[in-house]
Amino acid sequence: GAGVSQSPRYKVAKRGQDVALRCDPISGHVSLFWYQQALGQGPEFLTYFQNEAQLDKSGLPSDRFFAERPEGSVSTLKIQRTQQEDSAVYLCASSSRSDRAHTEAFFGQGTRLTVV
Amino acid sequence: AQSVTQLGSHVSVSEGALVLLRCNYSSSVPPYLFWYVQYPNQGLQLLLKYTSAATLVKGINGFEAEFKKSETSFHLTKPSAHMSDAAEYFCAVSEEFNFGNEKLTFGTGTRLTIIP
């Protein structure tokens, strides 16, 4: 596609419910990032994939958060047993290379998750 | 650890006036610095980046930023504000490039309002 696509755009979940957020990166992009943006804050790093390999998950806030990218393209961020503090915008970004620094990362529009 | 401080969560300027958005960073190694813009309900878009080449960096939409090591600053400027510049602006820093994992640390953002 022309850009990074995320779905759904908006998700309302009841506390305790599991959710899955999808990211379709730009075709051919090797690197994929997930960020969490709480209201009034800047994005915070969650995890990084190089193709299908999850090389960094240091930003995942708890073991309720799980991300995968099984075929090196589409990625899914799953949150189990959602809690109110999980309410945020979840941003996905992709970039074309993993062997050169400062390759521009393109961001999707994000998924706004509200836990009630 | 790297960090970014954006002074002023809200900035208002008159149309045609100078735009100045402040960013100070903390980094234990020479940093790479970025400015992103976020329009309502859209993803982040890269405005410009500093990667240790020229200290004065020119970006899109007439924006520029100057890296000042002695002041640990990377302020964003535009000589003449336009109504279309109204958005949220984020400064970000990256210290490392580890197997393509160029994760960014963002500031809390500055909301720019343009007064007609």
Side-chain angles (χ1 to χ4, degrees), chain A residues 9-10 33 35 37 41-43 45 48 50 56 58 98-102 104 107-109, chain B residues 32 34 36 38 41-44 46 49 51 90 97 99-104 106-108:
Chain A
R9 289 291 314 280
Y10 303 92
F33 303 82
Y35 288 84
Q37 186 176 16
Q41 301 297 314
F45 172 81
Y48 165 69
Q50 184 183 109
D56 187 346
S58 62
S98 63
D99 61 340
R100 178 185 296 173
H102 323 310
E104 180 176 352
F107 282 80
Q109 293 178 288
Chain B
Y32 302 114
F34 307 79
Y36 282 85
Q38 186 175 38
N41 298 317
Q42 295 191 26
L44 297 166
L46 181 66
K49 60 185 179 184
T51 58
F90 293 93
F97 178 73
F99 298 104
N101 185 10
E102 193 167 24
K103 56 187 173 184
L104 300 171
F106 287 88
T108 53

mmCIF file of all heavy atoms in Angstrom, chain A residues 9-10 33 35 37 41-43 45 48 50 56 58 98-102 104 107-109, chain B residues 32 34 36 38 41-44 46 49 51 90 97 99-104 106-108:
data_model
loop_
_atom_site.group_PDB
_atom_site.id
_atom_site.type_symbol
_atom_site.label_atom_id
_atom_site.label_comp_id
_atom_site.label_asym_id
_atom_site.label_seq_id
_atom_site.Cartn_x
_atom_site.Cartn_y
_atom_site.Cartn_z
ATOM 1 N N ARG A 9 -9.059 1.572 13.586
ATOM 2 C CA ARG A 9 -8.644 2.916 13.969
ATOM 3 C C ARG A 9 -9.031 3.213 15.411
ATOM 4 O O ARG A 9 -8.318 3.918 16.125
ATOM 5 C CB ARG A 9 -9.273 3.948 13.046
ATOM 6 C CG ARG A 9 -8.717 3.978 11.632
ATOM 7 C CD ARG A 9 -7.265 4.500 11.609
ATOM 8 N NE ARG A 9 -7.049 5.681 12.407
ATOM 9 C CZ ARG A 9 -7.354 6.904 12.046
ATOM 10 N NH1 ARG A 9 -7.919 7.124 10.874
ATOM 11 N NH2 ARG A 9 -7.125 7.934 12.855
ATOM 12 N N TYR A 10 -10.170 2.687 15.810
ATOM 13 C CA TYR A 10 -10.662 2.892 17.174
ATOM 14 C C TYR A 10 -11.139 1.549 17.737
ATOM 15 O O TYR A 10 -11.747 0.758 17.024
ATOM 16 C CB TYR A 10 -11.829 3.889 17.200
ATOM 17 C CG TYR A 10 -11.488 5.233 16.593
ATOM 18 C CD1 TYR A 10 -11.723 5.481 15.244
ATOM 19 C CD2 TYR A 10 -10.914 6.241 17.370
ATOM 20 C CE1 TYR A 10 -11.397 6.709 14.684
ATOM 21 C CE2 TYR A 10 -10.588 7.470 16.817
ATOM 22 C CZ TYR A 10 -10.833 7.693 15.473
ATOM 23 O OH TYR A 10 -10.508 8.909 14.923
ATOM 24 N N PHE A 33 8.279 -1.093 13.976
ATOM 25 C CA PHE A 33 8.291 -0.648 15.368
ATOM 26 C C PHE A 33 6.856 -0.472 15.861
ATOM 27 O O PHE A 33 5.985 -0.054 15.107
ATOM 28 C CB PHE A 33 8.993 0.708 15.502
ATOM 29 C CG PHE A 33 10.408 0.751 14.990
ATOM 30 C CD1 PHE A 33 10.666 0.926 13.643
ATOM 31 C CD2 PHE A 33 11.473 0.643 15.859
ATOM 32 C CE1 PHE A 33 11.965 0.969 13.155
ATOM 33 C CE2 PHE A 33 12.782 0.695 15.391
ATOM 34 C CZ PHE A 33 13.029 0.862 14.040
ATOM 35 N N TYR A 35 4.864 1.651 18.999
ATOM 36 C CA TYR A 35 4.965 2.662 20.046
ATOM 37 C C TYR A 35 3.600 2.810 20.726
ATOM 38 O O TYR A 35 2.561 2.596 20.103
ATOM 39 C CB TYR A 35 5.361 4.024 19.477
ATOM 40 C CG TYR A 35 6.799 4.135 19.008
ATOM 41 C CD1 TYR A 35 7.171 3.716 17.733
ATOM 42 C CD2 TYR A 35 7.788 4.664 19.837
ATOM 43 C CE1 TYR A 35 8.483 3.820 17.291
ATOM 44 C CE2 TYR A 35 9.102 4.779 19.408
ATOM 45 C CZ TYR A 35 9.443 4.355 18.132
ATOM 46 O OH TYR A 35 10.748 4.469 17.702
ATOM 47 N N GLN A 37 1.317 5.707 22.755
ATOM 48 C CA GLN A 37 1.208 7.136 23.035
ATOM 49 C C GLN A 37 0.023 7.390 23.947
ATOM 50 O O GLN A 37 -1.133 7.373 23.511
ATOM 51 C CB GLN A 37 1.071 7.931 21.738
ATOM 52 C CG GLN A 37 1.091 9.437 21.945
ATOM 53 C CD GLN A 37 1.045 10.222 20.648
ATOM 54 O OE1 GLN A 37 0.707 9.682 19.585
ATOM 55 N NE2 GLN A 37 1.411 11.488 20.695
ATOM 56 N N GLN A 41 1.022 12.756 25.950
ATOM 57 C CA GLN A 41 2.425 12.339 26.041
ATOM 58 C C GLN A 41 3.000 12.064 24.657
ATOM 59 O O GLN A 41 2.271 11.962 23.669
ATOM 60 C CB GLN A 41 2.543 11.067 26.887
ATOM 61 C CG GLN A 41 2.024 11.201 28.295
ATOM 62 C CD GLN A 41 2.802 12.213 29.095
ATOM 63 O OE1 GLN A 41 4.033 12.227 29.075
ATOM 64 N NE2 GLN A 41 2.091 13.080 29.809
ATOM 65 N N GLY A 42 4.309 11.939 24.602
ATOM 66 C CA GLY A 42 4.941 11.517 23.364
ATOM 67 C C GLY A 42 4.907 10.004 23.237
ATOM 68 O O GLY A 42 4.704 9.294 24.226
ATOM 69 N N PRO A 43 5.100 9.500 22.045
ATOM 70 C CA PRO A 43 5.132 8.041 21.862
ATOM 71 C C PRO A 43 6.272 7.411 22.653
ATOM 72 O O PRO A 43 7.345 8.003 22.774
ATOM 73 C CB PRO A 43 5.356 7.888 20.357
ATOM 74 C CG PRO A 43 4.914 9.179 19.754
ATOM 75 C CD PRO A 43 5.236 10.220 20.771
ATOM 76 N N PHE A 45 8.486 3.734 22.980
ATOM 77 C CA PHE A 45 8.865 2.513 22.284
ATOM 78 C C PHE A 45 8.344 1.280 23.002
ATOM 79 O O PHE A 45 8.449 1.166 24.229
ATOM 80 C CB PHE A 45 10.391 2.449 22.175
ATOM 81 C CG PHE A 45 10.924 1.147 21.652
ATOM 82 C CD1 PHE A 45 10.953 0.879 20.298
ATOM 83 C CD2 PHE A 45 11.401 0.172 22.518
ATOM 84 C CE1 PHE A 45 11.452 -0.318 19.807
ATOM 85 C CE2 PHE A 45 11.902 -1.032 22.055
ATOM 86 C CZ PHE A 45 11.929 -1.278 20.693
ATOM 87 N N TYR A 48 10.497 -3.949 18.586
ATOM 88 C CA TYR A 48 11.084 -3.806 17.255
ATOM 89 C C TYR A 48 11.227 -5.171 16.581
ATOM 90 O O TYR A 48 11.651 -6.148 17.208
ATOM 91 C CB TYR A 48 12.461 -3.153 17.347
ATOM 92 C CG TYR A 48 13.301 -3.292 16.089
ATOM 93 C CD1 TYR A 48 12.940 -2.617 14.926
ATOM 94 C CD2 TYR A 48 14.427 -4.101 16.055
ATOM 95 C CE1 TYR A 48 13.691 -2.738 13.764
ATOM 96 C CE2 TYR A 48 15.184 -4.235 14.909
ATOM 97 C CZ TYR A 48 14.812 -3.554 13.762
ATOM 98 O OH TYR A 48 15.551 -3.688 12.613
ATOM 99 N N GLN A 50 12.845 -7.021 13.008
ATOM 100 C CA GLN A 50 13.590 -7.003 11.753
ATOM 101 C C GLN A 50 13.120 -8.230 10.982
ATOM 102 O O GLN A 50 13.413 -9.355 11.374
ATOM 103 C CB GLN A 50 15.091 -7.061 11.984
ATOM 104 C CG GLN A 50 15.913 -6.956 10.715
ATOM 105 C CD GLN A 50 17.400 -7.089 11.005
ATOM 106 O OE1 GLN A 50 18.017 -8.092 10.671
ATOM 107 N NE2 GLN A 50 17.975 -6.087 11.638
ATOM 108 N N ASP A 56 13.894 -6.727 19.805
ATOM 109 C CA ASP A 56 13.872 -5.902 21.005
ATOM 110 C C ASP A 56 12.428 -5.817 21.483
ATOM 111 O O ASP A 56 11.561 -5.349 20.749
ATOM 112 C CB ASP A 56 14.425 -4.510 20.707
ATOM 113 C CG ASP A 56 14.581 -3.645 21.956
ATOM 114 O OD1 ASP A 56 14.027 -3.993 23.020
ATOM 115 O OD2 ASP A 56 15.257 -2.601 21.864
ATOM 116 N N SER A 58 11.996 -4.699 24.821
ATOM 117 C CA SER A 58 12.282 -4.110 26.124
ATOM 118 C C SER A 58 11.239 -3.099 26.577
ATOM 119 O O SER A 58 11.140 -2.808 27.768
ATOM 120 C CB SER A 58 13.659 -3.439 26.100
ATOM 121 O OG SER A 58 13.691 -2.385 25.158
ATOM 122 N N SER A 98 17.538 -2.087 7.387
ATOM 123 C CA SER A 98 18.052 -2.356 8.727
ATOM 124 C C SER A 98 19.568 -2.303 8.755
ATOM 125 O O SER A 98 20.179 -2.587 9.773
ATOM 126 C CB SER A 98 17.591 -3.739 9.202
ATOM 127 O OG SER A 98 18.130 -4.749 8.367
ATOM 128 N N ASP A 99 20.161 -1.903 7.629
ATOM 129 C CA ASP A 99 21.626 -1.885 7.576
ATOM 130 C C ASP A 99 22.174 -0.464 7.467
ATOM 131 O O ASP A 99 23.371 -0.271 7.302
ATOM 132 C CB ASP A 99 22.120 -2.705 6.382
ATOM 133 C CG ASP A 99 21.619 -2.158 5.051
ATOM 134 O OD1 ASP A 99 20.626 -1.411 5.063
ATOM 135 O OD2 ASP A 99 22.215 -2.502 4.015
ATOM 136 N N ARG A 100 21.290 0.502 7.532
ATOM 137 C CA ARG A 100 21.732 1.890 7.412
ATOM 138 C C ARG A 100 20.965 2.733 8.419
ATOM 139 O O ARG A 100 19.739 2.673 8.489
ATOM 140 C CB ARG A 100 21.483 2.418 6.007
ATOM 141 C CG ARG A 100 21.881 3.881 5.816
ATOM 142 C CD ARG A 100 21.494 4.372 4.444
ATOM 143 N NE ARG A 100 22.198 3.663 3.386
ATOM 144 C CZ ARG A 100 21.926 3.824 2.094
ATOM 145 N NH1 ARG A 100 20.968 4.648 1.722
ATOM 146 N NH2 ARG A 100 22.607 3.167 1.181
ATOM 147 N N ALA A 101 21.712 3.537 9.160
ATOM 148 C CA ALA A 101 21.076 4.355 10.183
ATOM 149 C C ALA A 101 20.300 5.507 9.561
ATOM 150 O O ALA A 101 20.577 5.929 8.445
ATOM 151 C CB ALA A 101 22.132 4.898 11.143
ATOM 152 N N HIS A 102 19.342 5.982 10.312
ATOM 153 C CA HIS A 102 18.581 7.183 9.983
ATOM 154 C C HIS A 102 17.748 7.026 8.714
ATOM 155 O O HIS A 102 17.434 8.009 8.051
ATOM 156 C CB HIS A 102 19.500 8.398 9.855
ATOM 157 C CG HIS A 102 20.614 8.376 10.841
ATOM 158 N ND1 HIS A 102 20.397 8.170 12.185
ATOM 159 C CD2 HIS A 102 21.946 8.466 10.684
ATOM 160 C CE1 HIS A 102 21.560 8.150 12.799
ATOM 161 N NE2 HIS A 102 22.511 8.326 11.925
ATOM 162 N N GLU A 104 14.358 6.852 7.166
ATOM 163 C CA GLU A 104 13.117 7.416 7.702
ATOM 164 C C GLU A 104 12.129 6.321 8.063
ATOM 165 O O GLU A 104 11.877 5.405 7.277
ATOM 166 C CB GLU A 104 12.483 8.370 6.705
ATOM 167 C CG GLU A 104 11.186 9.000 7.211
ATOM 168 C CD GLU A 104 10.610 10.013 6.258
ATOM 169 O OE1 GLU A 104 11.288 10.349 5.265
ATOM 170 O OE2 GLU A 104 9.476 10.477 6.501
ATOM 171 N N PHE A 107 5.143 6.370 9.862
ATOM 172 C CA PHE A 107 4.174 6.008 10.895
ATOM 173 C C PHE A 107 2.774 5.843 10.321
ATOM 174 O O PHE A 107 2.371 6.565 9.401
ATOM 175 C CB PHE A 107 4.129 7.088 11.975
ATOM 176 C CG PHE A 107 5.273 7.039 12.940
ATOM 177 C CD1 PHE A 107 6.508 7.573 12.599
ATOM 178 C CD2 PHE A 107 5.121 6.465 14.193
ATOM 179 C CE1 PHE A 107 7.570 7.530 13.495
ATOM 180 C CE2 PHE A 107 6.173 6.421 15.088
ATOM 181 C CZ PHE A 107 7.400 6.949 14.740
ATOM 182 N N GLY A 108 2.042 4.904 10.895
ATOM 183 C CA GLY A 108 0.626 4.781 10.613
ATOM 184 C C GLY A 108 -0.172 5.787 11.426
ATOM 185 O O GLY A 108 0.379 6.516 12.248
ATOM 186 N N GLN A 109 -1.507 5.796 11.192
ATOM 187 C CA GLN A 109 -2.377 6.753 11.876
ATOM 188 C C GLN A 109 -2.657 6.324 13.312
ATOM 189 O O GLN A 109 -3.144 7.120 14.101
ATOM 190 C CB GLN A 109 -3.682 6.909 11.109
ATOM 191 C CG GLN A 109 -3.506 7.565 9.750
ATOM 192 C CD GLN A 109 -4.828 7.659 9.020
ATOM 193 O OE1 GLN A 109 -5.370 6.660 8.553
ATOM 194 N NE2 GLN A 109 -5.367 8.855 8.917
ATOM 195 N N TYR B 32 21.515 11.490 17.649
ATOM 196 C CA TYR B 32 20.829 11.792 16.400
ATOM 197 C C TYR B 32 19.467 12.356 16.787
ATOM 198 O O TYR B 32 18.775 11.785 17.626
ATOM 199 C CB TYR B 32 20.704 10.529 15.558
ATOM 200 C CG TYR B 32 22.057 9.910 15.264
ATOM 201 C CD1 TYR B 32 22.399 8.676 15.782
ATOM 202 C CD2 TYR B 32 22.982 10.582 14.489
ATOM 203 C CE1 TYR B 32 23.637 8.111 15.529
ATOM 204 C CE2 TYR B 32 24.229 10.025 14.236
ATOM 205 C CZ TYR B 32 24.548 8.805 14.759
ATOM 206 O OH TYR B 32 25.773 8.254 14.520
ATOM 207 N N PHE B 34 15.674 14.377 15.862
ATOM 208 C CA PHE B 34 14.598 14.423 14.878
ATOM 209 C C PHE B 34 13.491 15.354 15.364
ATOM 210 O O PHE B 34 13.278 15.526 16.561
ATOM 211 C CB PHE B 34 13.975 13.022 14.694
ATOM 212 C CG PHE B 34 14.958 11.934 14.383
ATOM 213 C CD1 PHE B 34 15.721 11.353 15.377
ATOM 214 C CD2 PHE B 34 15.095 11.467 13.088
ATOM 215 C CE1 PHE B 34 16.627 10.338 15.093
ATOM 216 C CE2 PHE B 34 15.995 10.443 12.791
ATOM 217 C CZ PHE B 34 16.758 9.889 13.797
ATOM 218 N N TYR B 36 9.330 15.643 14.498
ATOM 219 C CA TYR B 36 8.173 15.080 13.810
ATOM 220 C C TYR B 36 6.980 16.003 14.018
ATOM 221 O O TYR B 36 6.866 16.680 15.043
ATOM 222 C CB TYR B 36 7.813 13.700 14.376
ATOM 223 C CG TYR B 36 8.692 12.574 13.910
ATOM 224 C CD1 TYR B 36 9.897 12.290 14.545
ATOM 225 C CD2 TYR B 36 8.312 11.773 12.836
ATOM 226 C CE1 TYR B 36 10.699 11.247 14.116
ATOM 227 C CE2 TYR B 36 9.110 10.723 12.395
ATOM 228 C CZ TYR B 36 10.296 10.477 13.047
ATOM 229 O OH TYR B 36 11.095 9.436 12.613
ATOM 230 N N GLN B 38 2.633 16.024 13.941
ATOM 231 C CA GLN B 38 1.442 15.168 13.970
ATOM 232 C C GLN B 38 0.210 16.034 13.820
ATOM 233 O O GLN B 38 -0.106 16.841 14.693
ATOM 234 C CB GLN B 38 1.393 14.380 15.275
ATOM 235 C CG GLN B 38 0.276 13.356 15.346
ATOM 236 C CD GLN B 38 0.344 12.517 16.621
ATOM 237 O OE1 GLN B 38 0.677 13.009 17.701
ATOM 238 N NE2 GLN B 38 0.041 11.229 16.510
ATOM 239 N N ASN B 41 -5.566 13.267 14.133
ATOM 240 C CA ASN B 41 -5.996 11.971 13.606
ATOM 241 C C ASN B 41 -5.086 11.430 12.506
ATOM 242 O O ASN B 41 -5.533 10.643 11.666
ATOM 243 C CB ASN B 41 -7.438 12.041 13.094
ATOM 244 C CG ASN B 41 -8.404 12.378 14.199
ATOM 245 O OD1 ASN B 41 -8.306 11.845 15.303
ATOM 246 N ND2 ASN B 41 -9.324 13.287 13.931
ATOM 247 N N GLN B 42 -3.843 11.860 12.530
ATOM 248 C CA GLN B 42 -2.885 11.337 11.565
ATOM 249 C C GLN B 42 -1.634 10.833 12.271
ATOM 250 O O GLN B 42 -1.415 11.114 13.448
ATOM 251 C CB GLN B 42 -2.513 12.416 10.544
ATOM 252 C CG GLN B 42 -3.671 12.841 9.661
ATOM 253 C CD GLN B 42 -3.225 13.699 8.512
ATOM 254 O OE1 GLN B 42 -2.079 13.628 8.067
ATOM 255 N NE2 GLN B 42 -4.139 14.507 7.995
ATOM 256 N N GLY B 43 -0.838 10.093 11.546
ATOM 257 C CA GLY B 43 0.401 9.593 12.106
ATOM 258 C C GLY B 43 1.477 10.664 12.136
ATOM 259 O O GLY B 43 1.274 11.788 11.689
ATOM 260 N N LEU B 44 2.621 10.305 12.666
ATOM 261 C CA LEU B 44 3.747 11.225 12.737
ATOM 262 C C LEU B 44 4.432 11.328 11.379
ATOM 263 O O LEU B 44 4.610 10.329 10.687
ATOM 264 C CB LEU B 44 4.752 10.719 13.766
ATOM 265 C CG LEU B 44 4.266 10.647 15.205
ATOM 266 C CD1 LEU B 44 5.205 9.821 16.053
ATOM 267 C CD2 LEU B 44 4.123 12.033 15.780
ATOM 268 N N LEU B 46 7.952 12.918 9.502
ATOM 269 C CA LEU B 46 9.280 13.463 9.752
ATOM 270 C C LEU B 46 9.419 14.843 9.110
ATOM 271 O O LEU B 46 9.177 15.012 7.912
ATOM 272 C CB LEU B 46 10.339 12.517 9.192
ATOM 273 C CG LEU B 46 11.789 12.938 9.389
ATOM 274 C CD1 LEU B 46 12.151 12.933 10.881
ATOM 275 C CD2 LEU B 46 12.733 12.014 8.619
ATOM 276 N N LYS B 49 15.933 15.909 10.318
ATOM 277 C CA LYS B 49 16.763 15.107 11.210
ATOM 278 C C LYS B 49 18.203 15.600 11.187
ATOM 279 O O LYS B 49 18.684 16.098 10.163
ATOM 280 C CB LYS B 49 16.712 13.623 10.824
ATOM 281 C CG LYS B 49 17.193 13.330 9.405
ATOM 282 C CD LYS B 49 16.996 11.857 9.070
ATOM 283 C CE LYS B 49 17.455 11.560 7.636
ATOM 284 N NZ LYS B 49 17.178 10.142 7.251
ATOM 285 N N THR B 51 22.048 14.282 11.768
ATOM 286 C CA THR B 51 22.812 13.046 11.856
ATOM 287 C C THR B 51 24.313 13.329 11.796
ATOM 288 O O THR B 51 25.063 12.579 11.183
ATOM 289 C CB THR B 51 22.422 12.089 10.727
ATOM 290 O OG1 THR B 51 22.636 12.741 9.462
ATOM 291 C CG2 THR B 51 20.972 11.690 10.841
ATOM 292 N N PHE B 90 6.823 17.021 17.821
ATOM 293 C CA PHE B 90 7.585 16.180 18.734
ATOM 294 C C PHE B 90 9.060 16.192 18.368
ATOM 295 O O PHE B 90 9.418 15.977 17.202
ATOM 296 C CB PHE B 90 7.083 14.734 18.704
ATOM 297 C CG PHE B 90 5.709 14.535 19.254
ATOM 298 C CD1 PHE B 90 4.603 14.566 18.425
ATOM 299 C CD2 PHE B 90 5.521 14.340 20.616
ATOM 300 C CE1 PHE B 90 3.326 14.392 18.938
ATOM 301 C CE2 PHE B 90 4.247 14.165 21.134
ATOM 302 C CZ PHE B 90 3.144 14.197 20.291
ATOM 303 N N PHE B 97 22.164 2.559 16.802
ATOM 304 C CA PHE B 97 21.642 1.863 15.642
ATOM 305 C C PHE B 97 22.090 0.419 15.782
ATOM 306 O O PHE B 97 23.163 0.035 15.364
ATOM 307 C CB PHE B 97 22.178 2.483 14.352
ATOM 308 C CG PHE B 97 21.708 1.786 13.120
ATOM 309 C CD1 PHE B 97 20.409 1.925 12.694
ATOM 310 C CD2 PHE B 97 22.565 0.989 12.378
ATOM 311 C CE1 PHE B 97 19.958 1.280 11.546
ATOM 312 C CE2 PHE B 97 22.132 0.343 11.239
ATOM 313 C CZ PHE B 97 20.829 0.490 10.816
ATOM 314 N N PHE B 99 21.490 -3.233 14.903
ATOM 315 C CA PHE B 99 20.839 -4.185 14.002
ATOM 316 C C PHE B 99 19.516 -3.617 13.463
ATOM 317 O O PHE B 99 18.520 -4.328 13.391
ATOM 318 C CB PHE B 99 20.590 -5.514 14.721
ATOM 319 C CG PHE B 99 21.850 -6.187 15.166
ATOM 320 C CD1 PHE B 99 22.223 -6.158 16.497
ATOM 321 C CD2 PHE B 99 22.672 -6.817 14.261
ATOM 322 C CE1 PHE B 99 23.402 -6.766 16.913
ATOM 323 C CE2 PHE B 99 23.856 -7.424 14.670
ATOM 324 C CZ PHE B 99 24.218 -7.393 16.003
ATOM 325 N N GLY B 100 19.564 -2.338 13.115
ATOM 326 C CA GLY B 100 18.385 -1.710 12.546
ATOM 327 C C GLY B 100 17.418 -1.188 13.576
ATOM 328 O O GLY B 100 16.415 -0.569 13.233
ATOM 329 N N ASN B 101 17.694 -1.424 14.849
ATOM 330 C CA ASN B 101 16.782 -1.003 15.900
ATOM 331 C C ASN B 101 17.073 0.433 16.283
ATOM 332 O O ASN B 101 17.745 0.713 17.269
ATOM 333 C CB ASN B 101 16.931 -1.912 17.119
ATOM 334 C CG ASN B 101 15.910 -1.584 18.192
ATOM 335 O OD1 ASN B 101 14.975 -0.819 17.967
ATOM 336 N ND2 ASN B 101 16.087 -2.165 19.364
ATOM 337 N N GLU B 102 16.565 1.345 15.486
ATOM 338 C CA GLU B 102 16.780 2.755 15.771
ATOM 339 C C GLU B 102 15.561 3.289 16.509
ATOM 340 O O GLU B 102 14.790 4.091 15.993
ATOM 341 C CB GLU B 102 17.026 3.535 14.486
ATOM 342 C CG GLU B 102 17.558 4.920 14.738
ATOM 343 C CD GLU B 102 18.091 5.572 13.489
ATOM 344 O OE1 GLU B 102 17.671 5.176 12.390
ATOM 345 O OE2 GLU B 102 18.926 6.463 13.604
ATOM 346 N N LYS B 103 15.402 2.826 17.746
ATOM 347 C CA LYS B 103 14.225 3.266 18.492
ATOM 348 C C LYS B 103 14.427 4.705 18.937
ATOM 349 O O LYS B 103 15.524 5.144 19.259
ATOM 350 C CB LYS B 103 13.972 2.355 19.689
ATOM 351 C CG LYS B 103 15.122 2.199 20.653
ATOM 352 C CD LYS B 103 14.771 1.140 21.691
ATOM 353 C CE LYS B 103 15.960 0.824 22.568
ATOM 354 N NZ LYS B 103 15.647 -0.285 23.528
ATOM 355 N N LEU B 104 13.330 5.408 18.943
ATOM 356 C CA LEU B 104 13.332 6.824 19.239
ATOM 357 C C LEU B 104 12.784 7.080 20.635
ATOM 358 O O LEU B 104 11.846 6.426 21.076
ATOM 359 C CB LEU B 104 12.468 7.570 18.219
ATOM 360 C CG LEU B 104 12.906 7.451 16.756
ATOM 361 C CD1 LEU B 104 11.856 8.055 15.828
ATOM 362 C CD2 LEU B 104 14.239 8.157 16.551
ATOM 363 N N PHE B 106 10.968 10.096 22.522
ATOM 364 C CA PHE B 106 10.253 11.321 22.176
ATOM 365 C C PHE B 106 10.083 12.228 23.388
ATOM 366 O O PHE B 106 10.002 11.774 24.533
ATOM 367 C CB PHE B 106 8.856 10.984 21.639
ATOM 368 C CG PHE B 106 8.844 10.404 20.254
ATOM 369 C CD1 PHE B 106 8.972 9.030 20.054
ATOM 370 C CD2 PHE B 106 8.679 11.222 19.147
ATOM 371 C CE1 PHE B 106 8.943 8.490 18.776
ATOM 372 C CE2 PHE B 106 8.639 10.691 17.868
ATOM 373 C CZ PHE B 106 8.780 9.324 17.681
ATOM 374 N N GLY B 107 9.980 13.536 23.094
ATOM 375 C CA GLY B 107 9.526 14.480 24.104
ATOM 376 C C GLY B 107 8.013 14.401 24.230
ATOM 377 O O GLY B 107 7.351 13.635 23.529
ATOM 378 N N THR B 108 7.474 15.235 25.112
ATOM 379 C CA THR B 108 6.039 15.197 25.384
ATOM 380 C C THR B 108 5.217 15.996 24.386
ATOM 381 O O THR B 108 3.999 15.976 24.423
ATOM 382 C CB THR B 108 5.742 15.707 26.800
ATOM 383 O OG1 THR B 108 6.349 16.989 26.959
ATOM 384 C CG2 THR B 108 6.288 14.750 27.852
#
